[in-house]
Amino acid sequence: MKMGAALEQAFNEQITLEFSASLVYRQLAIELEDMDLPGMASWLRHQADEEIAHANRFIDHVADRGHKPAIGAIAAPVVQVGSVLDAFESAYAHEQRVSESIRSLYRTAEKEGDLDSRPLLNFFIEEQIEEEATVSEIIGRVKMIGDDGPGLLRLDEELGQRPAGSTEVTN
């Protein structure tokens, strides 16, 4: 049931990255709120909450395996946004970073022969495919809309319809 030291460290790094991702999404939400796009800001806030839920799943896994989860240092997010497209491209780049981190975590678990991590990591591999696809679709739509104000407002309204989730682990 216990995991090796390298895998435990990798899980704790993933926990930190998930909390960092939450802060990036929160900052992006602030930027879009500042652009008077409350629906997009709301979508990003929900995404931030989802990242906390992800961190909590990793925390529970580490604790359930008899280890002490630890959150590492998190720097304030550096987000430079000049447009809606910039915001979602930044979100996409961050999702790609998280995806690669999870793949690396999976490789570490495989190297250690840790079968107990597979279900959790398989969930997150699928989750990241979905996350990247969703943000990529939004980017495509923003590019299609361009600077069309009514189009951006329609997308803002649509993204604002995303139901709120919980930061707690749900199965």
Side-chain angles (χ1 to χ4, degrees), residues 82-101:
S83 68
V84 171
L85 183 59
D86 287 345
F88 284 99
E89 285 180 338
S90 179
Y92 185 70
H94 203 74
E95 287 297 343
Q96 288 177 313
R97 179 175 171 218
V98 170
S99 294
E100 181 51 39
S101 179

Side-chain angles (χ1 to χ4, degrees), residues 126-141:
E126 289 181 29
E127 175 74 10
Q128 284 308 119
I129 291 169
E130 178 186 318
E131 297 288 346
E132 286 188 37
T134 298
V135 178
S136 179
E137 180 182 310
I138 293 170
I139 289 170
R141 294 175 73 195

Side-chain angles (χ1 to χ4, degrees), residues 25-26 28-29 32 40-48 88 91:
Y25 275 113
R26 285 286 180 189
L28 289 171
L32 289 181
M40 292 180 193
S42 175
W43 189 93
L44 291 162
R45 282 192 304 274
H46 293 319
Q47 194 66 23
F88 284 99

